[in-house]
Amino acid sequence: MKKDIHPEYKEITVIMTDGSEFKTRSTLKADSLRLDIDPKSHPAWTGVHRLVDSGGQIAKFNKRFAGFGLKS
């Protein structure tokens, strides 16, 4: 392998949405990683569907198409 081209590989702490933690190894520069969505809260695994609007996309969609509808 070439020298000095690979990122540092170190142990980090992953913090789940419920506060539980586990350790893994990563090239992430920070010492910890806090998850917004994980297998305990993701609808694909839980079967409970809820909207997560972290970027305001749903609000933008509703605002854009608020006047769109069928005329009677």
Side-chain angles (χ1 to χ4, degrees), residues 20-32:
S20 62
E21 302 176 351
F22 67 91
K23 295 204 179 279
T24 189
R25 293 183 55 83
S26 174
T27 58
L28 188 68
K29 295 191 186 289
D31 291 332
S32 65

Side-chain angles (χ1 to χ4, degrees), residues 25-42:
R25 293 183 55 83
S26 174
T27 58
L28 188 68
K29 295 191 186 289
D31 291 332
S32 65
L33 174 66
R34 183 172 299 275
L35 299 178
D36 293 331
I37 298 177
D38 62 19
K40 295 177 184 178
S41 64
H42 195 280

Side-chain angles (χ1 to χ4, degrees), residues 2-22:
K2 292 183 180 179
K3 293 183 179 184
D4 301 325
I5 63 167
H6 300 286
E8 181 184 348
Y9 191 62
K10 64 180 183 174
E11 189 173 89
I12 65 165
T13 303
V14 178
I15 304 167
M16 307 287 267
T17 56
D18 66 350
S20 62
E21 302 176 351
F22 67 91

